[in-house]
Amino acid sequence: MPTLIDTLIQIISLLVNVFVMLVIVQFVIGLLFAFNVVNQSNQFLAQVYESINRLMEPVLRPVRNVMPQTGALDLSPLVIIVVAQIVLIVLGSVRGSL
């Protein structure tokens, strides 16, 4: 029978996986727009891209405020993913020691 910590780790892991998928989708759509493979007048992709940006902005904004400016390259999603993975590793080791 799963314990409370197991359930919490599964929920956090699910949220991390969803965030990673959103970052990948946002990155791919951004590349498609940047290299003019898809025109930005494509309403569906523009709406998906904007929706993902709105969902991720509250999480990424504090990291962007702390990190130094890197020009056009935004490393804040990578930082959030690495921190989330570290949290998952720590929670997994806590679960193993209980």
Side-chain angles (χ1 to χ4, degrees):
M1 180 165 169
T3 63
L4 178 63
I5 192 79
D6 291 334
T7 305
L8 289 175
I9 291 172
Q10 288 176 350
I11 291 170
I12 293 170
S13 178
L14 175 68
L15 293 174
V16 168
N17 289 332
V18 167
F19 185 81
V20 169
M21 284 186 265
L22 287 174
V23 167
I24 291 170
V25 169
Q26 180 188 32
F27 178 74
V28 169
I29 293 174
L31 283 178
L32 292 175
F33 286 156
F35 289 109
N36 232 3
V37 174
V38 175
N39 194 340
Q40 288 187 356
S41 64
N42 182 326
Q43 291 297 313
F44 176 73
L45 282 181
Q47 287 293 328
V48 170
Y49 189 73
E50 182 65 28
S51 298
I52 291 172
N53 282 337
R54 287 184 184 187
L55 283 172
M56 292 179 17
E57 186 61 28
V59 176
L60 297 176
R61 186 180 316 116
V63 176
R64 287 183 184 134
N65 291 340
V66 173
M67 290 182 56
Q69 295 293 328
T70 57
L73 184 61
D74 183 16
L75 296 176
S76 57
L78 179 64
V79 171
I80 295 291
I81 290 170
V82 168
V83 168
Q85 291 296 327
I86 290 170
V87 168
L88 286 176
I89 292 168
V90 169
L91 286 175
S93 68
V94 167
R95 179 183 62 188
S97 67
L98 292 178

